[in-house]
């Protein structure tokens, strides 16, 4: 440690030259699906869903997707692993993409004058889309996600086992998630905000899972009538119903601050730091 400190000081004083660090390597699990896995995929109806509102693409994470089609990189990286799945987008404008069914809708969410109205509407349709798909496995995902591993198949098995899944929230504690976040409200229930917060991409549901349907239906109703940040809406649904989802580990939504975690499955490349980190390393 002391030697590293001395070397750093020498570089700052011009007494030594900085050594360029070697490019990092990363290895994703990308094994071909086995015959048994292929038979399983052929036996279930799979649908991936998107909710895109506003003709101009915006990204709160800071990464630039102007050169990408509206649903990429999510759509093209999912297609690599699930070419036979159904792909559907809910939108308020004519968003036509080959291989994707468009369901054009209008927002039922209150307070259209609110600056977060578009985000609230998109989150409403995330919840709505899951409960209105007739697929066995349905998954709503944001368009700024990059699937990097064949381990993504496990998401279907996890959903079949647990009924419905949502990604972890890096703040974990709901109270901390609300601090400094946009579109929040005071937490008024007896939990005092000391419960676990949720993220929204990817979220899944298994067909006819009554608990998951009740949870997401309640989320949609709350977002429509009392809209706010989606993680708070999801907490309200869990608190009011006593039903809560299986929380996916960080590898399913690698966000800013979790770069290099290992065993990555889906990268949230809408976060500029995540995109920069994984674009500047070699992939074995």
């Amino acid at each position: 440690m002391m030697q590293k400190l001395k070397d750093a000081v020498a570089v700052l004083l011009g007494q030594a030259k900085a050594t360029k660090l070697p490019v990092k390597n990363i290895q994703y699990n990308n094994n071909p699906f086995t015959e048994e896995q292929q038979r399983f995929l052929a036996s279930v109806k799979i649908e991936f869903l998107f909710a895109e509102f506003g003709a101009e693409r915006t990204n709160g994470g800071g990464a630039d997707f102007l050169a990408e089609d509206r649903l990429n990189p999510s759509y093209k990286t999912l297609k690599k692993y699930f070419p036979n799945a159904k792909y559907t987008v809910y939108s308020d404008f004519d968003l036509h993409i080959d291989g994707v069914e468009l369901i054009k809708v209008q927002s039922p969410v209150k307070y259209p004058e609110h600056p977060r109205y578009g985000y609230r509407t998109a989150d409403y349709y995330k919840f709505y889309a899951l409960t209105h798909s007739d697929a066995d496995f349905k998954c709503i995902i944001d368009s700024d996600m990059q699937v990097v591993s064949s381990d993504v198949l496990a998401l279907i098995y996890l959903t079949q086992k647990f009924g419905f899944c949502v990604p972890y929230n890096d703040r974990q504690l709901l109270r901390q998630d609300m601090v400094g976040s946009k579109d929040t409200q005071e937490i008024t229930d007896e939990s005092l905000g000391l419960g676990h917060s949720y993220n929204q991409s990817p979220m899944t549901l298994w067909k006819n899972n009554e608990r998951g349907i009740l949870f997401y239906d309640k989320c949609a109703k709350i977002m429509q009538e009392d809209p706010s940040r989606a993680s708070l809406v999801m907490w309200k649904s869990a608190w009011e119903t006593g039903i809560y989802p299986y929380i996916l580990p960080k590898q399913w939504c690698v966000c800013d601050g979790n770069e290099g975690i290992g065993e990555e499955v889906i990268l949230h490349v809408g976060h500029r730091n995540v995109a920069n980190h994984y674009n500047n390393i070699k992939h074995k």
Side-chain angles (χ1 to χ4, degrees), residues 241-282:
T241 63
I243 295 171
Y244 52 90
Y246 175 81
I247 300 178
L248 298 165
K250 295 181 179 182
Q251 284 78 358
W252 291 98
C253 180
V254 179
C255 293
D256 191 0
N258 293 313
E259 299 87 352
I261 189 174
E263 306 289 348
E264 295 91 340
V265 182
I266 303 178
L267 310 177
H268 192 181
V269 291
H271 290 178
R272 183 184 288 117
N273 289 341
V274 175
N276 290 342
H277 176 85
Y278 289 97
N279 286 336
N280 288 321
I281 55 181
K282 290 182 179 178

Side-chain angles (χ1 to χ4, degrees), residues 3 7 16 25 70-71 81 86 98 100 124 149 163 165 167 173 178 184 192 201 210 217 220 234 243 255 262 270:
Q3 185 59 49
D7 292 342
N25 291 317
R70 182 63 181 255
L71 300 184
Y81 300 101
K86 182 180 180 181
D98 288 342
V100 180
Y124 167 84
S149 171
C165 306
L173 202 68
M178 296 301 104
T184 62
L192 306 178
S201 177
E210 293 181 1
D217 275 344
M234 293 168 74
I243 295 171
C255 293

Side-chain angles (χ1 to χ4, degrees), residues 47-52 70-71 73-75 77-78 87-89 126 129-130 138-147 152 155 167 200-204 252-253 265-268:
E47 183 171 13
F48 290 98
L49 302 145
F50 299 88
E52 293 290 318
R70 182 63 181 255
L71 300 184
S74 300
Y75 175 49
T77 56
L78 281 168
Y87 293 88
T88 303
V89 58
K126 288 178 184 179
L130 286 168
K138 32 280 197 97
C139 172
I140 185 81
I141 189 167
D142 287 342
S143 61
D144 61 347
M145 314 287 284
Q146 181 178 348
V147 184
V152 68
L155 187 58
Q200 295 80 51
S201 177
M203 296 191 295
T204 68
W252 291 98
C253 180
V265 182
I266 303 178
L267 310 177
H268 192 181

Side-chain angles (χ1 to χ4, degrees), residues 81-219:
Y81 300 101
F82 306 108
N84 298 320
K86 182 180 180 181
Y87 293 88
T88 303
V89 58
Y90 283 77
S91 181
D92 60 349
F93 68 101
D94 292 323
L95 178 55
H96 298 295
I97 297 175
D98 288 342
V100 180
E101 179 182 343
L102 168 66
I103 300 180
K104 195 173 179 181
V105 291
Q106 293 182 339
S107 178
V109 178
K110 283 187 174 181
Y111 315 122
E113 71 283 356
H114 195 278
R116 300 287 295 180
Y117 182 67
Y119 292 94
R120 292 172 171 183
T121 297
D123 288 330
Y124 167 84
Y125 276 107
K126 288 178 184 179
F127 305 133
Y128 178 94
L130 286 168
T131 60
H132 286 76
S133 164
D134 64 356
D136 299 307
F137 167 81
K138 32 280 197 97
C139 172
I140 185 81
I141 189 167
D142 287 342
S143 61
D144 61 347
M145 314 287 284
Q146 181 178 348
V147 184
V148 294
S149 171
S150 59
D151 285 343
V152 68
L153 175 65
L155 187 58
I156 302 178
Y157 288 103
L158 287 167
T159 303
Q160 184 185 45
K161 175 64 69 173
F162 297 114
F164 62 119
C165 306
V166 304
Y168 86 105
N169 186 305
D170 208 31
R171 271 79 61 188
Q172 296 195 47
L173 202 68
L174 180 71
R175 182 191 288 178
Q176 292 186 1
D177 188 25
M178 296 301 104
V179 175
S181 297
K182 297 178 180 177
D183 203 9
T184 62
Q185 297 175 353
E186 182 181 357
I187 302 168
T188 58
D189 64 61
E190 295 85 350
S191 74
L192 306 178
L194 295 173
H196 204 298
S197 190
Y198 307 118
N199 215 324
Q200 295 80 51
S201 177
M203 296 191 295
T204 68
L205 176 65
W206 194 258
K207 186 175 184 178
N208 297 329
N209 183 271
E210 293 181 1
R211 289 169 57 84
I213 292 170
L214 193 100
F215 175 81
Y216 288 126
D217 275 344
K218 188 67 174 180
C219 287

